[in-house]
């Protein structure tokens, strides 16, 4: 608790209930309480349109758009192996946070245009230079990658941000995309306040949009069992989707699993508001929510040298999740890498998803 300095006693006075009751609640009780705590929105992908199609890199792609009831239309890419006409397992690929909101789905999926320099830079830092959703589609999956509030097609226009926020990004040395991302980083605090005023949270808004996307993918002709996968903020979204949607058959959370208590000593400021939705820590510790879909299959990939999570917190999380899977179904793998979802981690996840989503 050193990061709180003279106020470190606040943790004890506030009461860390997730440590007092590490194994309760569970199952439907936990899922219901957590969904209510974060104010998860009940949304539907309405008026779905195919905006354009393309074929490249051995894949057939569709750019889709839909309406969730607020904001610009959501844009999404649906990718399949070229020419495939049968049924494929589906995967909702969830883009990361990474402090980059100018792009969303493009961070992990190739569209009809080449990636921007900013996207190439991020892929090199976090994904081994790959568009992992496109790689996954090439392995025999129908992969859906969509934007959510705050990213890509659902960005907030700068004119809708407070002037004091946009002023912080007034650096002519930066590209337009990088200037936007500076402003968006400061705007997230404002967005969270509005969400809480409205009885929800940033996490609850994003989770609602992900639930709508997963329901759409399951309803597509030619799509079989559906799983989900994401890194970091995308891993957080995967955990929430797996917890709240019983139709998601397999979940991969990459570099986003740690106990809450171990984050208190200097690991809070670097994270998105989505990791700290109001009231959740009074319901459970974060690993309990990651495991809330048990016994449905869960793969947690841990970056052993993760600068955003303490090693003790990841190990404690791994043990806590394993306790929720006494009959098996959980796999936790540690990689000796910094915070990322690199090629070896992706390959492990792809094989794992194929084993669990392909009908026997």
């Amino acid at each position: 608790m050193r990061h709180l300095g003279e106020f470190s006693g606040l943790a004890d006075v506030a009461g860390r209930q997730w440590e007092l009751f590490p194994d309760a609640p569970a199952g439907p009780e936990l899922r219901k309480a957590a969904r209510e705590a974060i104010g998860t929105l009940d949304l539907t992908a309405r008026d779905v349109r195919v905006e354009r199609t393309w074929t490249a890199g051995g894949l057939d792609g569709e750019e889709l758009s839909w309406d969730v009831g607020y904001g610009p239309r959501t844009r999404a890419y649906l990718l399949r192996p070229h020419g495939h006409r049968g049924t494929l397992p589906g995967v909702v690929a969830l883009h990361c946070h990474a402090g980059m909101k100018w792009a969303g789905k493009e961070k992990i999926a190739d569209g009809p245009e080449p990636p921007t320099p900013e996207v190439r830079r991020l892929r090199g830092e976090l994904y081994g230079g790959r568009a992992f959703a496109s790689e996954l589609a090439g392995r025999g999956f129908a992969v859906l990658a969509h934007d959510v509030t705050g990213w890509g097609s659902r960005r907030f226009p700068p004119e809708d941000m407070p002037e004091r926020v946009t002023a912080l990004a007034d650096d002519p040395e930066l590209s337009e995309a990088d200037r936007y991302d500076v402003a968006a980083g400061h705007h997230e605090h404002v967005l969270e306040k509005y969400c809480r005023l409205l009885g929800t949270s940033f996490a609850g808004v994003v989770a609602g949009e992900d639930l709508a996307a997963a329901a759409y993918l399951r309803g597509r002709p030619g799509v079989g069992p559906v799983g989900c996968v994401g890194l970091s903020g995308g891993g957080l979204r995967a955990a929430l989707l797996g917890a709240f949607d019983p139709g998601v058959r397999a979940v991969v959370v990459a570099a986003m699993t740690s106990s809450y208590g171990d984050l208190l000593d200097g690991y809070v400021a670097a994270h998105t508001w989505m990791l700290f939705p109001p009231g959740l820590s009074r319901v459970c510790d974060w690993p309990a929510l990651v495991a809330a879909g048990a016994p449905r299959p869960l793969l947690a990939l841990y970056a052993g040298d993760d600068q955003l999570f303490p090693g003790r917190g990841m190990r404690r999380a791994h043990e806590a999740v394993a306790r929720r899977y006494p009959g098996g179904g959980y796999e936790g793998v540690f990689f000796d890498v910094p915070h990322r979802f690199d090629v070896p981690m992706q390959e492990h996840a792809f094989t794992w998803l194929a084993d669990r989503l392909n009908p026997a």
Side-chain angles (χ1 to χ4, degrees):
M1 265 43 85
R2 291 189 304 274
H3 201 65
L4 283 171
E6 292 188 41
F7 291 86
S8 61
L10 175 62
D12 293 317
V13 174
R16 293 171 296 186
Q17 296 189 15
W18 63 86
E19 290 191 3
L20 296 175
F21 307 103
D23 295 316
E29 179 188 357
L30 170 58
R31 293 192 290 271
K32 181 175 185 293
R35 183 166 181 154
E36 290 177 353
I38 73 173
T40 304
L41 300 184
D42 186 10
L43 303 174
T44 302
R46 304 179 301 191
D47 185 27
V48 180
R49 305 172 188 169
V50 178
E51 301 289 351
R52 52 181 172 167
T53 62
W54 69 93
T55 297
L59 301 176
D60 291 333
E62 297 179 27
E63 183 174 16
L64 308 170
S65 74
W66 61 71
D67 173 34
V68 295
Y70 56 88
R73 290 179 65 84
T74 297
R75 295 278 178 152
Y77 293 156
L78 181 65
L79 307 174
R80 302 167 60 98
H82 174 55
H84 194 282
R85 294 293 179 263
T87 297
L88 292 170
V91 174
V92 183
L94 302 153
H95 66 70
C96 60
H97 188 298
M100 181 189 190
K101 293 184 175 178
W102 180 263
K105 60 190 178 299
E106 296 86 1
K107 292 191 277 190
I108 61 172
D110 284 327
E113 289 87 24
T116 66
E118 294 83 5
V119 166
R120 288 198 300 270
R121 180 182 67 208
L122 180 131
R123 289 182 184 177
E125 293 170 353
L126 297 182
Y127 297 109
R130 278 176 159 182
F132 87 78
S134 300
E135 290 283 343
L136 181 57
R139 309 299 174 90
F141 293 86
V143 180
L144 181 69
H146 62 286
D147 296 328
V148 288
T149 289
W151 279 272
S153 60
R154 291 179 63 74
R155 294 193 299 264
F156 278 81
E159 57 267 25
D160 290 343
M161 298 179 180
E163 288 186 12
R164 59 180 174 79
V165 167
T166 54
L168 295 169
D170 189 17
D171 184 346
E173 298 296 319
L174 297 177
S175 68
E176 180 184 8
D178 287 338
R179 285 199 303 274
Y180 179 83
D181 289 334
V182 172
H186 294 281
H187 183 248
E188 187 170 312
H189 306 294
V190 180
L191 176 59
E192 179 68 22
K193 291 175 181 177
Y194 272 100
C195 289
R196 294 195 184 192
L197 181 64
L198 294 169
T200 180
S201 65
F202 191 24
V205 169
V206 171
E209 295 182 23
D210 289 338
L211 286 162
Y216 167 75
L217 181 60
R218 282 199 304 274
R220 285 273 307 208
V223 176
V226 169
C228 66
V229 56
L231 160 71
S232 191
L236 183 154
R237 295 168 58 197
L240 295 177
L241 183 56
F244 300 151
D245 189 342
V248 172
R249 299 275 293 275
V251 177
V252 180
V253 177
M256 199 62 184
T257 312
S258 171
S259 62
Y260 269 155
D262 290 297
L263 296 180
L264 285 169
D265 194 8
Y267 290 89
V268 171
H271 288 288
T272 170
W273 277 100
M274 290 193 295
L275 185 55
F276 313 116
L280 182 59
S281 62
R282 289 191 171 275
V283 173
C284 66
D285 194 357
W286 176 250
L289 188 59
V290 174
R296 282 178 283 134
L298 170 67
L299 172 64
L301 303 176
Y302 300 86
D305 298 325
D306 203 322
Q307 65 274 28
L308 299 183
F309 295 101
R312 178 183 176 185
M314 291 187 285
R315 291 189 296 272
R316 193 195 301 267
H318 172 58
E319 294 167 0
V321 174
R323 287 197 299 271
R324 302 265 174 158
Y325 281 82
Y330 165 65
E331 182 180 350
V333 185
F334 284 77
F335 291 80
D336 293 328
V337 296
H339 188 78
R340 62 189 55 178
F341 185 36
D342 64 8
V343 171
M345 297 170 81
Q346 291 171 34
E347 293 296 328
H348 190 101
F350 295 172
T351 299
W352 186 91
L353 283 166
D355 288 344
R356 282 146 186 87
L357 295 178
N358 279 310

